[in-house]
Amino acid sequence: MVIKDYTPLRDLPLVPMRGLIVFPDSRVHFEITRHSSMQALKAAMREQQEIVLVAQKDMLSESPTLEQLHGTGVIATVRQVLKGAGGEARVFIEGQCRAQLREIMQEKPYMRAQVAPKAELTVPENERMKEKALLRQAKQLFDLCARFLQMPPDIPLTVLSGRNAGRLANYIADTLPLPYEDKQLVLEENDPLERLQVLCVILARENQLQEVEANIHEQVRHQMDQSQRENFLREQRRAISAELGDGDSAQEDASDYRTQLVKLKLDTEIEEKLLKEIARLERMSAQSPESSMLSTYLETALALPWNKLSKDRLQLDTARKKLEKDHYGLREVKDRIVELLAVRKLTPGMAGQILCLVGPPGVGKTSVARSVADAMGRKFARISLGGIRDEAEIRGHRKTYVGAMPGRILNALSLAGSRNPVLLLDEIDKLCNDLRGDPSSALLEVMDGEQNATFRDHYLELPFDLSQVLFITTANDRYAIPAPLLDRMEVIELPSYTAEEKYHIAKMHLLPKQLKRHGLHKNQLRLQDTCLRLLIEGYTREAGVRRLEQRIAALCRKCALRVAEDPEYRRSLKAADLEEMLGARRYKDDHRNREPRAGVANGLAWTAVGGEIMPIEALVMPGTGQLKLTGCLGSVMKESAEAAVSYLRYHAKALEIMPEFHKENDIHIHVPEGAVPKDGPSAGVTIYTALLSALRGQKVNPDLAMTGEITLTGRVLPIGGLREKAMAAYRSGVRSVLIPEENLPDLEKVDEAVKSAVRFHGVTQLSELSNYALLPTQRAGTQV
């Protein structure tokens, strides 16, 4: 490849230079290690000891081509060659003149090039003034640069004595530690004045860069001096404290706290606040009471999981299997939790969802929350809110108080070791309040997804992000939860277990758990199905399975005693053995009316432990028109009785009863088990039926139970707790149940076994009740 025609041309060995520029009249030592360069050097020594030195464009290239070499180099004379022990050669050369690279004549075994020497030009007479100006400018710029670099004094003297523009430019460019690209620009310029002008531009830029570097260096040095001064003063203070016997624990702790803080990489606001507290601690004596308080504060703050997050495991199949393994039944609850996980899988950044599990004691609310944590792969923490009446329990105390500590929220996160655990707020309906504050109000910020990203505890006084926490609350009574809190939560109802569900739970979970806990093998104690069912129906009466587990544990303890005395002991318990092991049956069959009677109707009631049959008795006798209500009845139930009497008075003629019955007779309504408080509107239809039966002397069907609220216009309104009430009717052997017609869709939640054994009839008006409830036989007694 021909670059330009130069004459006369010379054919010389070529050595590519990496990062080194050689100028005419300069003397340079450098090492040669490449084999091809060694061969070129030998060829030069065999000829006239002249060689061409050209800088590479790419310093990493081992075998550069013509395109990878700069177009201008230097013809140099080799003055000395020293061979090293490793095969390398140290060369001393002297630059002669510039040379324009024209063509590569040979590449193997070494490079030879055809070059055109370029003689040094002289400055014309009409350019002498410009030469002097450029010389003065170059010397000034060099002097300023030499001051920054602190060069030996002989070099500036040589520059000051320079009178030739071209040679001075060569000397300065060769002497200063300029980037090799800038040196190549100077080398390529053959005109002396242009060369010196290019150098002046480079020197001006270098001086500006040197000035910036000097400023940076001064700032760094000042900071280092300040740091060294502070360290020196700290060491002095430690020495003084040691002489005074104060110890140096506060200063050492402060240093440790500062190291921990740097590793946490917190937000600027938090870091500055904690650094101020650490600085305060350093200035205090170890004997100061405030020193201990500050140390506790810093330890608490640094122990919080500021940046620790558990990675969510949102595999829906795994979550379903986990929930099915840990809990029997609860289909709606499991489906809702899997839906929650599905939403979080699709929108990982979604926050603010708070679940409230509402149900009677012992139905598995806490264990459901723990299963959610296991399914998601998150840490689990629990806070019991029952009986809390101080707002500081939630938000903490001010750290200025003696014994101050953070609130339960941050304490739970610290124990969990994660900023996104599943946090269970247990018994939220048991919160109290008094003159010390209302903890439910303090929970408003905690449970608000729009605010809890900057939750501030009174003790910490720093913003902490709670938006990644999955809050799950539990309650027995949703109506006892303060309305503003309830508004922030999604309520999931956990119904009471049916006898069939309890049977499966006991067989699959409770019995194996208690056998393992008591050190028994399954062949040492077995409970037959009849025994297990009698244990459920005759020895427990609850919505959950907590008392059932206690009864199973009692059986295991008695068996463990026998096994400890006789290792060969084995027992398979039947229903008849329970009285021997646990005593007489605690709960007999219900008290429902089983014989046709006038004035007695079977009602259905919901309780915290499930459904119950509730017979209601009415008696009409001569008197002065008094209405007497007994059986520990609440105000709502009493009002239902008054509404039933008023309806009967208004419709007496249509119902075939005497219009003046309320004036000439006393009416007594009684609900058995008088020691048990009773209340609620759903007894209205039962009270009405008992009264109508007593007034007409017509017997009530004993195989029928009923529930429903009544109005003065005769409407039957819907009720709650249908699932539990239906189970009570099934357990009592009732064949038919009257319910409000609006409750018929709720039968989907009732077990199929119950619906196959019990017929459900929907009614909308009180006028329909007599068709179902009163027997079409001869009336008992005389019509009133």
Side-chain angles (χ1 to χ4, degrees), residues 213-411:
E213 289 179 352
N215 292 334
I216 295 174
H217 177 73
E218 181 63 23
Q219 293 175 6
V220 172
R221 187 187 63 79
H222 177 73
Q223 292 176 359
M224 292 181 62
D225 290 345
Q226 184 68 20
S227 177
Q228 291 174 355
R229 178 176 175 274
E230 291 176 358
N231 291 333
F232 176 73
L233 292 176
R234 288 195 191 98
E235 292 298 328
Q236 277 192 327
R237 184 169 57 191
R238 290 179 183 178
I240 294 172
S241 298
E243 288 295 328
L244 294 175
D246 291 340
D248 56 354
S249 59
Q251 287 73 30
E252 291 179 355
D253 290 346
S255 178
D256 293 340
Y257 295 148
R258 187 177 284 106
T259 302
Q260 295 178 41
L261 180 59
V262 171
K263 291 180 180 179
L264 288 177
K265 298 180 180 178
L266 303 179
D267 293 340
T268 305
E269 177 189 355
I270 301 173
E271 187 171 346
E272 289 178 355
K273 167 72 173 175
L274 294 179
L275 284 174
K276 288 181 181 178
E277 298 297 337
I278 292 173
R280 286 182 59 203
L281 180 64
E282 283 184 316
R283 295 191 295 268
M284 291 180 184
S285 169
Q287 307 301 320
S288 171
E290 193 176 359
S291 173
S292 175
M293 182 271 291
L294 267 181
S295 295
T296 303
Y297 171 80
L298 290 169
E299 288 174 1
T300 303
L302 295 174
L304 288 172
W306 296 96
N307 299 314
K308 295 180 181 179
L309 292 171
S310 302
K311 186 177 180 181
D312 283 346
R313 186 171 61 243
L314 301 175
Q315 298 176 354
L316 303 185
D317 291 340
T318 304
R320 286 194 185 95
K321 292 178 182 178
K322 177 65 177 175
L323 292 171
E324 291 292 342
K325 178 182 177 182
D326 294 346
H327 302 87
Y328 182 86
L330 303 177
R331 176 56 50 198
E332 292 185 11
V333 178
K334 294 176 182 177
D335 290 343
R336 179 62 189 88
I337 291 172
V338 173
E339 290 170 4
L340 170 68
L341 300 183
V343 172
R344 285 188 170 268
K345 184 175 183 179
L346 296 178
T347 56
M350 184 177 182
Q353 289 181 305
I354 300 171
L355 302 180
C356 180
L357 306 179
V358 177
V363 296
K365 299 184 293 295
T366 303
S367 59
V368 165
R370 192 180 296 275
S371 296
V372 172
D374 293 341
M376 295 182 68
R378 290 193 180 190
K379 300 292 183 65
F380 177 79
R382 174 181 171 272
I383 300 174
S384 178
L385 300 179
I388 289 181
R389 60 181 67 248
D390 189 355
E391 177 258 354
E393 293 280 352
I394 305 298
R395 300 183 66 94
H397 301 79
R398 302 286 180 185
K399 68 175 182 291
T400 53
Y401 294 113
V402 176
M405 61 182 66
R408 296 197 180 198
I409 301 295
L410 290 189
N411 187 50

Side-chain angles (χ1 to χ4, degrees), residues 361-363 497 501-502 505-506 510 542-550:
V363 296
Y497 291 120
E501 289 174 337
K502 291 180 182 179
I505 292 171
L510 302 183
E542 59 179 343
V545 293
R546 194 167 290 158
R547 185 59 59 88
L548 176 60
E549 186 173 11
Q550 294 173 2

Side-chain angles (χ1 to χ4, degrees), residues 438-500:
D438 184 1
S440 64
S441 299
L443 281 174
L444 293 178
E445 179 187 3
V446 175
M447 302 178 68
D448 192 331
E450 302 297 328
Q451 302 179 32
N452 60 10
T454 56
F455 171 73
R456 285 182 181 267
D457 187 273
H458 289 328
Y459 179 80
L460 198 63
E461 295 179 332
L462 293 171
F464 193 91
D465 186 3
L466 298 179
S467 62
Q468 300 299 317
V469 178
L470 175 58
F471 289 99
I472 299 179
T473 65
T474 69
N476 299 129
D477 182 8
R478 65 181 297 175
Y479 300 105
I481 303 174
L485 276 182
L486 188 63
D487 184 59
R488 286 165 165 77
M489 300 183 291
E490 179 180 352
V491 177
I492 300 178
E493 298 279 354
L494 275 75
S496 58
Y497 291 120
T498 64
E500 190 66 22

Side-chain angles (χ1 to χ4, degrees), residues 692-711:
L692 180 61
S693 171
L695 290 169
R696 294 176 61 173
Q698 193 171 354
K699 296 180 181 180
V700 180
N701 183 1
D703 290 327
L704 177 73
M706 60 195 73
T707 180
E709 180 182 354
I710 63 173
T711 68

Side-chain angles (χ1 to χ4, degrees), residues 619-627 661-662 664-668:
L619 189 64
V620 179
M621 67 200 82
T624 58
Q626 293 184 358
L627 176 62
F661 74 90
H662 62 287
E664 302 173 357
N665 299 281
D666 290 340
I667 299 175
H668 187 171

Side-chain angles (χ1 to χ4, degrees), residues 528-547:
Q528 295 184 8
D529 292 349
T530 55
C531 174
L532 203 53
R533 292 186 185 278
L534 180 60
L535 188 66
I536 294 168
E537 297 175 3
Y539 289 85
T540 62
R541 186 62 59 88
E542 59 179 343
V545 293
R546 194 167 290 158
R547 185 59 59 88

Side-chain angles (χ1 to χ4, degrees), residues 2-7 9 100 102 114 116:
V2 178
I3 297 178
K4 191 175 180 181
D5 187 20
Y6 289 93
T7 55
L9 301 178
Q100 187 69 31
R102 181 181 177 188
Q114 192 177 67

